[in-house]
Amino acid sequence: IRVGASPEHTSSPSTMRASLWQIEHCKLYTNPENFRRWMEDHDGIVPKARVFLLFALFSVLATVSLELARDSSVAFWIGHQAWVVPFLPLIFIFAHCWHIFGRTPPFLAIVFSTIVPAIVAIVIGYAYQIPLNQLASALVLPGCQASPGFQVLQEAYDAAEEVYDACIIDLANNTGRSPKMLRTNVVLEDCFALPEYVIQYGIWKREWGYLEYLEVSQGCTGWCDSGKLPLWTRPDRTGRDGCSSVAAIIIQGQAVQLANVMIASGICTLL
């Protein structure tokens, strides 16, 4: 305080406290010993900060993996391995508790909370990327000859078409309405009481579910061949694309890109 200074020019208590706080922090950052003591007094801050950072990093992986896991084409052809990735943050919590309560070395906590989940995400990403690329390339080939699985789907569609035709004929005989009129209002699921439907549905339940998903969500019909009449939706237009070519576009344009993002995110986490 300057001698002879007026009271309004004297330092206030809050200003003096702020100055003291700045001095203490300058001592903290300039003196390694003070910093070490401060870290010992606040030993829980670093593990907590690491957990929050890892949750932020893996939020991208979790979002991408959920998109992959919920994709019907990916689930049908590859499987549901992507559901593992959203549960990887549980490893962070386990490693955090292991470090805090078990007083284990930080290196082990870092390995189990960072490296292991990232490697798992990368491996799962490649487990999707490679077969999805091969699948998309095979689906665009004419005639569905590239894979036995394609022929199975074609057989499933043929069976559904036969059941639908038998259902239309049965309804026409019972109602006296023309088959052409019935086809504009009847879908395959309306034939659930037909004995042929019950038998074939038990055989092709999984394949019919996938073909129905493609027809309803993508507006395609059939499998190998285009221009087929719809079985699970009403015929609002003609000349629809075959579902095999549509599935190839979806897999190459969406699923493969999601797998690439998963791999890239896992690599960035390791770095």
Side-chain angles (χ1 to χ4, degrees), residues 109-162:
I110 293 173
V111 168
F112 278 94
S113 61
T114 306
I115 299 177
V116 172
I119 292 176
V120 171
I122 293 171
V123 170
I124 293 177
Y126 275 113
Y128 277 98
Q129 184 205 52
I130 296 174
L132 285 174
N133 272 319
Q134 296 173 347
L135 177 64
S137 300
L139 282 171
V140 299
L141 297 177
C144 291
Q145 302 295 327
S147 170
F150 301 164
Q151 289 298 318
V152 170
L153 274 174
Q154 183 60 45
E155 292 174 7
Y157 179 82
D158 292 340
E161 193 173 38
E162 291 178 3

Short mmCIF file of all heavy atoms in Angstrom, two decimals, residues 109-162:
data_model
loop_
_atom_site.label_atom_id
_atom_site.label_comp_id
_atom_site.label_asym_id
_atom_site.label_seq_id
_atom_site.Cartn_x
_atom_site.Cartn_y
_atom_site.Cartn_z
N ALA A 109 -2.83 -50.10 -15.86
CA ALA A 109 -4.15 -49.48 -16.07
C ALA A 109 -4.25 -48.90 -17.47
O ALA A 109 -5.31 -49.00 -18.12
CB ALA A 109 -4.37 -48.38 -15.03
N ILE A 110 -3.17 -48.30 -17.97
CA ILE A 110 -3.18 -47.74 -19.32
C ILE A 110 -3.31 -48.84 -20.36
O ILE A 110 -4.07 -48.72 -21.34
CB ILE A 110 -1.90 -46.91 -19.57
CG1 ILE A 110 -1.91 -45.66 -18.67
CG2 ILE A 110 -1.78 -46.52 -21.03
CD1 ILE A 110 -0.63 -44.88 -18.72
N VAL A 111 -2.61 -49.96 -20.15
CA VAL A 111 -2.69 -51.07 -21.11
C VAL A 111 -4.10 -51.61 -21.20
O VAL A 111 -4.66 -51.79 -22.29
CB VAL A 111 -1.69 -52.18 -20.70
CG1 VAL A 111 -1.96 -53.46 -21.50
CG2 VAL A 111 -0.27 -51.72 -20.92
N PHE A 112 -4.71 -51.88 -20.05
CA PHE A 112 -6.02 -52.51 -20.05
C PHE A 112 -7.13 -51.53 -20.43
O PHE A 112 -8.18 -51.96 -20.90
CB PHE A 112 -6.31 -53.11 -18.67
CG PHE A 112 -5.70 -54.46 -18.48
CD1 PHE A 112 -4.47 -54.58 -17.88
CD2 PHE A 112 -6.33 -55.60 -18.92
CE1 PHE A 112 -3.88 -55.82 -17.70
CE2 PHE A 112 -5.75 -56.85 -18.76
CZ PHE A 112 -4.52 -56.96 -18.14
N SER A 113 -6.94 -50.24 -20.23
CA SER A 113 -8.00 -49.28 -20.53
C SER A 113 -7.84 -48.60 -21.88
O SER A 113 -8.78 -47.97 -22.35
CB SER A 113 -8.04 -48.20 -19.44
OG SER A 113 -6.82 -47.48 -19.40
N THR A 114 -6.71 -48.73 -22.53
CA THR A 114 -6.48 -48.05 -23.81
C THR A 114 -6.10 -49.02 -24.92
O THR A 114 -6.78 -49.13 -25.93
CB THR A 114 -5.37 -46.99 -23.66
OG1 THR A 114 -5.69 -46.12 -22.59
CG2 THR A 114 -5.25 -46.18 -24.93
N ILE A 115 -5.00 -49.74 -24.72
CA ILE A 115 -4.46 -50.57 -25.80
C ILE A 115 -5.37 -51.75 -26.11
O ILE A 115 -5.69 -52.00 -27.28
CB ILE A 115 -3.04 -51.05 -25.42
CG1 ILE A 115 -2.12 -49.84 -25.23
CG2 ILE A 115 -2.49 -51.98 -26.48
CD1 ILE A 115 -0.72 -50.19 -24.78
N VAL A 116 -5.81 -52.46 -25.08
CA VAL A 116 -6.64 -53.65 -25.31
C VAL A 116 -7.95 -53.31 -26.00
O VAL A 116 -8.31 -53.91 -27.02
CB VAL A 116 -6.88 -54.40 -23.99
CG1 VAL A 116 -7.90 -55.52 -24.19
CG2 VAL A 116 -5.57 -54.97 -23.46
N PRO A 117 -8.74 -52.32 -25.52
CA PRO A 117 -9.99 -51.99 -26.23
C PRO A 117 -9.76 -51.50 -27.66
O PRO A 117 -10.53 -51.82 -28.56
CB PRO A 117 -10.61 -50.89 -25.37
CG PRO A 117 -10.01 -51.06 -24.03
CD PRO A 117 -8.63 -51.54 -24.27
N ALA A 118 -8.69 -50.72 -27.87
CA ALA A 118 -8.41 -50.24 -29.23
C ALA A 118 -8.09 -51.39 -30.18
O ALA A 118 -8.55 -51.41 -31.32
CB ALA A 118 -7.26 -49.23 -29.19
N ILE A 119 -7.29 -52.35 -29.71
CA ILE A 119 -6.96 -53.50 -30.55
C ILE A 119 -8.20 -54.33 -30.85
O ILE A 119 -8.40 -54.80 -31.98
CB ILE A 119 -5.88 -54.36 -29.87
CG1 ILE A 119 -4.55 -53.58 -29.82
CG2 ILE A 119 -5.70 -55.69 -30.59
CD1 ILE A 119 -3.44 -54.31 -29.09
N VAL A 120 -9.07 -54.50 -29.85
CA VAL A 120 -10.31 -55.24 -30.07
C VAL A 120 -11.16 -54.55 -31.14
O VAL A 120 -11.72 -55.19 -32.04
CB VAL A 120 -11.11 -55.36 -28.76
CG1 VAL A 120 -12.50 -55.92 -29.02
CG2 VAL A 120 -10.36 -56.25 -27.78
N ALA A 121 -11.26 -53.21 -31.06
CA ALA A 121 -12.04 -52.46 -32.05
C ALA A 121 -11.44 -52.59 -33.45
O ALA A 121 -12.17 -52.75 -34.43
CB ALA A 121 -12.12 -51.00 -31.64
N ILE A 122 -10.13 -52.53 -33.54
CA ILE A 122 -9.47 -52.66 -34.86
C ILE A 122 -9.71 -54.05 -35.44
O ILE A 122 -10.02 -54.19 -36.63
CB ILE A 122 -7.97 -52.37 -34.73
CG1 ILE A 122 -7.75 -50.90 -34.37
CG2 ILE A 122 -7.24 -52.70 -36.02
CD1 ILE A 122 -6.31 -50.57 -34.01
N VAL A 123 -9.56 -55.08 -34.62
CA VAL A 123 -9.76 -56.45 -35.11
C VAL A 123 -11.20 -56.65 -35.58
O VAL A 123 -11.44 -57.23 -36.65
CB VAL A 123 -9.41 -57.46 -33.99
CG1 VAL A 123 -9.85 -58.87 -34.38
CG2 VAL A 123 -7.92 -57.43 -33.70
N ILE A 124 -12.17 -56.15 -34.82
CA ILE A 124 -13.57 -56.28 -35.23
C ILE A 124 -13.83 -55.47 -36.50
O ILE A 124 -14.57 -55.91 -37.39
CB ILE A 124 -14.50 -55.83 -34.09
CG1 ILE A 124 -14.39 -56.81 -32.92
CG2 ILE A 124 -15.95 -55.75 -34.57
CD1 ILE A 124 -15.22 -56.42 -31.71
N GLY A 125 -13.21 -54.30 -36.60
CA GLY A 125 -13.37 -53.50 -37.82
C GLY A 125 -12.88 -54.23 -39.05
O GLY A 125 -13.56 -54.25 -40.10
N TYR A 126 -11.70 -54.87 -38.94
CA TYR A 126 -11.19 -55.65 -40.07
C TYR A 126 -12.04 -56.89 -40.33
O TYR A 126 -12.18 -57.34 -41.48
CB TYR A 126 -9.73 -56.05 -39.84
CG TYR A 126 -8.74 -55.00 -40.23
CD1 TYR A 126 -7.96 -54.34 -39.29
CD2 TYR A 126 -8.59 -54.64 -41.58
CE1 TYR A 126 -7.05 -53.36 -39.66
CE2 TYR A 126 -7.67 -53.67 -41.96
CZ TYR A 126 -6.92 -53.02 -40.99
OH TYR A 126 -6.02 -52.04 -41.37
N ALA A 127 -12.60 -57.47 -39.27
CA ALA A 127 -13.47 -58.63 -39.43
C ALA A 127 -14.73 -58.29 -40.22
O ALA A 127 -15.35 -59.18 -40.82
CB ALA A 127 -13.86 -59.19 -38.06
N TYR A 128 -15.09 -57.01 -40.24
CA TYR A 128 -16.22 -56.56 -41.06
C TYR A 128 -15.75 -56.08 -42.43
O TYR A 128 -16.37 -56.38 -43.45
CB TYR A 128 -16.97 -55.43 -40.35
CG TYR A 128 -17.98 -55.91 -39.35
CD1 TYR A 128 -17.68 -55.94 -38.00
CD2 TYR A 128 -19.24 -56.31 -39.75
CE1 TYR A 128 -18.61 -56.37 -37.07
CE2 TYR A 128 -20.18 -56.74 -38.83
CZ TYR A 128 -19.86 -56.77 -37.48
OH TYR A 128 -20.78 -57.20 -36.57
N GLN A 129 -14.67 -55.30 -42.44
CA GLN A 129 -14.27 -54.63 -43.68
C GLN A 129 -13.92 -55.61 -44.79
O GLN A 129 -14.40 -55.48 -45.93
CB GLN A 129 -13.07 -53.72 -43.41
CG GLN A 129 -12.63 -52.91 -44.62
CD GLN A 129 -11.16 -52.52 -44.53
OE1 GLN A 129 -10.31 -53.35 -44.31
NE2 GLN A 129 -10.88 -51.23 -44.69
N ILE A 130 -13.10 -56.60 -44.50
CA ILE A 130 -12.62 -57.52 -45.54
C ILE A 130 -13.77 -58.34 -46.15
O ILE A 130 -13.96 -58.33 -47.38
CB ILE A 130 -11.52 -58.42 -44.99
CG1 ILE A 130 -10.30 -57.58 -44.60
CG2 ILE A 130 -11.12 -59.49 -46.00
CD1 ILE A 130 -9.20 -58.35 -43.90
N PRO A 131 -14.59 -59.03 -45.35
CA PRO A 131 -15.68 -59.79 -45.98
C PRO A 131 -16.75 -58.92 -46.62
O PRO A 131 -17.36 -59.33 -47.61
CB PRO A 131 -16.25 -60.62 -44.81
CG PRO A 131 -15.82 -59.92 -43.58
CD PRO A 131 -14.52 -59.28 -43.90
N LEU A 132 -16.97 -57.72 -46.08
CA LEU A 132 -17.97 -56.84 -46.70
C LEU A 132 -17.52 -56.35 -48.07
O LEU A 132 -18.33 -56.26 -49.00
CB LEU A 132 -18.25 -55.64 -45.78
CG LEU A 132 -19.12 -55.91 -44.55
CD1 LEU A 132 -19.18 -54.68 -43.67
CD2 LEU A 132 -20.52 -56.36 -44.95
N ASN A 133 -16.24 -56.05 -48.21
CA ASN A 133 -15.71 -55.67 -49.53
C ASN A 133 -15.86 -56.82 -50.52
O ASN A 133 -16.26 -56.62 -51.68
CB ASN A 133 -14.24 -55.26 -49.42
CG ASN A 133 -14.07 -53.79 -49.09
OD1 ASN A 133 -14.78 -52.94 -49.64
ND2 ASN A 133 -13.14 -53.47 -48.22
N GLN A 134 -15.53 -58.03 -50.09
CA GLN A 134 -15.67 -59.19 -50.96
C GLN A 134 -17.13 -59.45 -51.31
O GLN A 134 -17.46 -59.79 -52.46
CB GLN A 134 -15.06 -60.42 -50.27
CG GLN A 134 -13.56 -60.31 -50.04
CD GLN A 134 -13.02 -61.45 -49.19
OE1 GLN A 134 -13.78 -62.20 -48.58
NE2 GLN A 134 -11.70 -61.59 -49.15
N LEU A 135 -18.00 -59.26 -50.34
CA LEU A 135 -19.43 -59.48 -50.57
C LEU A 135 -20.00 -58.49 -51.56
O LEU A 135 -20.75 -58.86 -52.48
CB LEU A 135 -20.18 -59.40 -49.23
CG LEU A 135 -21.70 -59.53 -49.28
CD1 LEU A 135 -22.09 -60.92 -49.79
CD2 LEU A 135 -22.30 -59.28 -47.91
N ALA A 136 -19.65 -57.21 -51.39
CA ALA A 136 -20.16 -56.18 -52.30
C ALA A 136 -19.69 -56.42 -53.72
O ALA A 136 -20.44 -56.23 -54.68
CB ALA A 136 -19.72 -54.80 -51.82
N SER A 137 -18.45 -56.88 -53.88
CA SER A 137 -17.94 -57.17 -55.23
C SER A 137 -18.65 -58.37 -55.84
O SER A 137 -18.92 -58.39 -57.05
CB SER A 137 -16.43 -57.43 -55.17
OG SER A 137 -15.74 -56.30 -54.66
N ALA A 138 -18.97 -59.37 -55.03
CA ALA A 138 -19.62 -60.56 -55.56
C ALA A 138 -21.09 -60.31 -55.89
O ALA A 138 -21.63 -60.92 -56.83
CB ALA A 138 -19.51 -61.70 -54.54
N LEU A 139 -21.73 -59.42 -55.16
CA LEU A 139 -23.16 -59.18 -55.38
C LEU A 139 -23.45 -58.50 -56.72
O LEU A 139 -24.56 -58.64 -57.24
CB LEU A 139 -23.73 -58.33 -54.24
CG LEU A 139 -24.01 -59.07 -52.93
CD1 LEU A 139 -24.36 -58.07 -51.83
CD2 LEU A 139 -25.15 -60.07 -53.10
N VAL A 140 -22.50 -57.78 -57.24
CA VAL A 140 -22.74 -57.08 -58.51
C VAL A 140 -22.54 -57.99 -59.72
O VAL A 140 -22.86 -57.60 -60.85
CB VAL A 140 -21.83 -55.84 -58.63
CG1 VAL A 140 -22.11 -54.86 -57.52
CG2 VAL A 140 -20.35 -56.24 -58.61
N LEU A 141 -22.01 -59.20 -59.50
CA LEU A 141 -21.83 -60.12 -60.62
C LEU A 141 -23.18 -60.65 -61.08
O LEU A 141 -24.07 -60.90 -60.26
CB LEU A 141 -20.92 -61.29 -60.21
CG LEU A 141 -19.48 -60.92 -59.82
CD1 LEU A 141 -18.74 -62.17 -59.36
CD2 LEU A 141 -18.76 -60.27 -60.99
N PRO A 142 -23.39 -60.84 -62.38
CA PRO A 142 -24.69 -61.30 -62.89
C PRO A 142 -24.94 -62.77 -62.55
O PRO A 142 -24.02 -63.57 -62.47
CB PRO A 142 -24.57 -61.09 -64.40
CG PRO A 142 -23.10 -61.17 -64.69
CD PRO A 142 -22.42 -60.59 -63.48
N GLY A 143 -26.21 -63.07 -62.36
CA GLY A 143 -26.62 -64.46 -62.20
C GLY A 143 -26.50 -65.03 -60.80
O GLY A 143 -26.87 -66.18 -60.57
N CYS A 144 -25.99 -64.27 -59.85
CA CYS A 144 -25.86 -64.75 -58.46
C CYS A 144 -25.11 -66.08 -58.38
O CYS A 144 -25.47 -66.99 -57.63
CB CYS A 144 -27.25 -64.90 -57.82
SG CYS A 144 -28.10 -63.35 -57.52
N GLN A 145 -24.05 -66.21 -59.16
CA GLN A 145 -23.28 -67.46 -59.19
C GLN A 145 -22.03 -67.40 -58.31
O GLN A 145 -21.33 -68.40 -58.21
CB GLN A 145 -22.87 -67.77 -60.64
CG GLN A 145 -24.03 -67.91 -61.61
CD GLN A 145 -24.92 -69.08 -61.29
OE1 GLN A 145 -24.44 -70.10 -60.81
NE2 GLN A 145 -26.20 -68.96 -61.55
N ALA A 146 -21.76 -66.26 -57.73
CA ALA A 146 -20.48 -66.10 -57.02
C ALA A 146 -20.45 -66.80 -55.67
O ALA A 146 -19.38 -67.10 -55.17
CB ALA A 146 -20.17 -64.62 -56.85
N SER A 147 -21.60 -67.04 -55.07
CA SER A 147 -21.61 -67.61 -53.73
C SER A 147 -22.82 -68.52 -53.56
O SER A 147 -23.90 -68.21 -54.05
CB SER A 147 -21.65 -66.49 -52.69
OG SER A 147 -21.88 -66.99 -51.39
N PRO A 148 -22.64 -69.64 -52.85
CA PRO A 148 -23.79 -70.50 -52.55
C PRO A 148 -24.87 -69.78 -51.75
O PRO A 148 -26.05 -70.10 -51.88
CB PRO A 148 -23.17 -71.65 -51.75
CG PRO A 148 -21.74 -71.65 -52.13
CD PRO A 148 -21.38 -70.23 -52.39
N GLY A 149 -24.45 -68.81 -50.92
CA GLY A 149 -25.43 -68.06 -50.15
C GLY A 149 -26.38 -67.27 -51.02
O GLY A 149 -27.55 -67.08 -50.67
N PHE A 150 -25.90 -66.78 -52.16
CA PHE A 150 -26.77 -66.06 -53.09
C PHE A 150 -27.83 -67.00 -53.67
O PHE A 150 -28.99 -66.63 -53.83
CB PHE A 150 -25.96 -65.44 -54.22
CG PHE A 150 -24.90 -64.48 -53.75
CD1 PHE A 150 -23.88 -64.09 -54.61
CD2 PHE A 150 -24.91 -63.96 -52.46
CE1 PHE A 150 -22.90 -63.21 -54.18
CE2 PHE A 150 -23.94 -63.08 -52.03
CZ PHE A 150 -22.92 -62.71 -52.89
N GLN A 151 -27.42 -68.23 -54.01
CA GLN A 151 -28.37 -69.21 -54.54
C GLN A 151 -29.41 -69.60 -53.51
O GLN A 151 -30.57 -69.83 -53.84
CB GLN A 151 -27.61 -70.45 -55.02
CG GLN A 151 -26.79 -70.25 -56.28
CD GLN A 151 -27.67 -69.87 -57.48
OE1 GLN A 151 -28.74 -70.44 -57.67
NE2 GLN A 151 -27.22 -68.91 -58.26
N VAL A 152 -29.00 -69.65 -52.25
CA VAL A 152 -29.95 -69.97 -51.18
C VAL A 152 -31.03 -68.89 -51.10
O VAL A 152 -32.23 -69.19 -50.95
CB VAL A 152 -29.22 -70.12 -49.84
CG1 VAL A 152 -30.21 -70.22 -48.69
CG2 VAL A 152 -28.33 -71.35 -49.86
N LEU A 153 -30.63 -67.63 -51.19
CA LEU A 153 -31.61 -66.55 -51.16
C LEU A 153 -32.53 -66.59 -52.38
O LEU A 153 -33.72 -66.30 -52.27
CB LEU A 153 -30.89 -65.20 -51.08
CG LEU A 153 -30.52 -64.73 -49.67
CD1 LEU A 153 -29.70 -63.46 -49.75
CD2 LEU A 153 -31.76 -64.50 -48.82
N GLN A 154 -31.98 -66.94 -53.52
CA GLN A 154 -32.82 -67.07 -54.71
C GLN A 154 -33.83 -68.20 -54.54
O GLN A 154 -35.01 -68.06 -54.91
CB GLN A 154 -31.96 -67.32 -55.95
CG GLN A 154 -32.74 -67.40 -57.24
CD GLN A 154 -33.52 -66.14 -57.55
OE1 GLN A 154 -33.00 -65.02 -57.41
NE2 GLN A 154 -34.78 -66.29 -57.94
N GLU A 155 -33.40 -69.32 -53.96
CA GLU A 155 -34.33 -70.42 -53.70
C GLU A 155 -35.39 -70.00 -52.70
O GLU A 155 -36.57 -70.39 -52.83
CB GLU A 155 -33.55 -71.63 -53.18
CG GLU A 155 -32.64 -72.27 -54.21
CD GLU A 155 -31.78 -73.36 -53.61
OE1 GLU A 155 -32.00 -73.70 -52.42
OE2 GLU A 155 -30.87 -73.88 -54.31
N ALA A 156 -34.99 -69.20 -51.70
CA ALA A 156 -35.97 -68.72 -50.72
C ALA A 156 -37.00 -67.82 -51.38
O ALA A 156 -38.21 -67.90 -51.08
CB ALA A 156 -35.25 -67.98 -49.60
N TYR A 157 -36.54 -66.96 -52.29
CA TYR A 157 -37.48 -66.09 -52.98
C TYR A 157 -38.41 -66.89 -53.89
O TYR A 157 -39.61 -66.63 -53.96
CB TYR A 157 -36.76 -65.03 -53.80
CG TYR A 157 -37.72 -64.14 -54.55
CD1 TYR A 157 -38.34 -63.07 -53.92
CD2 TYR A 157 -38.04 -64.40 -55.89
CE1 TYR A 157 -39.25 -62.27 -54.59
CE2 TYR A 157 -38.94 -63.60 -56.57
CZ TYR A 157 -39.55 -62.53 -55.92
OH TYR A 157 -40.46 -61.76 -56.59
N ASP A 158 -37.86 -67.89 -54.58
CA ASP A 158 -38.70 -68.73 -55.44
C ASP A 158 -39.78 -69.43 -54.63
O ASP A 158 -40.94 -69.54 -55.08
CB ASP A 158 -37.84 -69.75 -56.17
CG ASP A 158 -36.92 -69.11 -57.20
OD1 ASP A 158 -37.19 -67.96 -57.61
OD2 ASP A 158 -35.90 -69.74 -57.57
N ALA A 159 -39.41 -69.92 -53.45
CA ALA A 159 -40.40 -70.57 -52.59
C ALA A 159 -41.47 -69.59 -52.14
O ALA A 159 -42.66 -69.93 -52.10
CB ALA A 159 -39.70 -71.19 -51.38
N ALA A 160 -41.06 -68.37 -51.80
CA ALA A 160 -42.04 -67.36 -51.40
C ALA A 160 -42.97 -67.00 -52.55
O ALA A 160 -44.18 -66.80 -52.36
CB ALA A 160 -41.31 -66.11 -50.91
N GLU A 161 -42.42 -66.94 -53.75
CA GLU A 161 -43.24 -66.62 -54.92
C GLU A 161 -44.25 -67.72 -55.21
O GLU A 161 -45.41 -67.44 -55.55
CB GLU A 161 -42.33 -66.40 -56.13
CG GLU A 161 -43.02 -65.75 -57.32
CD GLU A 161 -42.05 -65.42 -58.42
OE1 GLU A 161 -41.11 -66.22 -58.65
OE2 GLU A 161 -42.21 -64.37 -59.06
N GLU A 162 -43.85 -68.97 -55.06
CA GLU A 162 -44.78 -70.08 -55.26
C GLU A 162 -45.90 -70.06 -54.22
O GLU A 162 -47.07 -70.30 -54.56
CB GLU A 162 -44.02 -71.41 -55.18
CG GLU A 162 -43.06 -71.64 -56.35
CD GLU A 162 -42.29 -72.94 -56.21
OE1 GLU A 162 -42.56 -73.67 -55.21
OE2 GLU A 162 -41.43 -73.22 -57.05
#
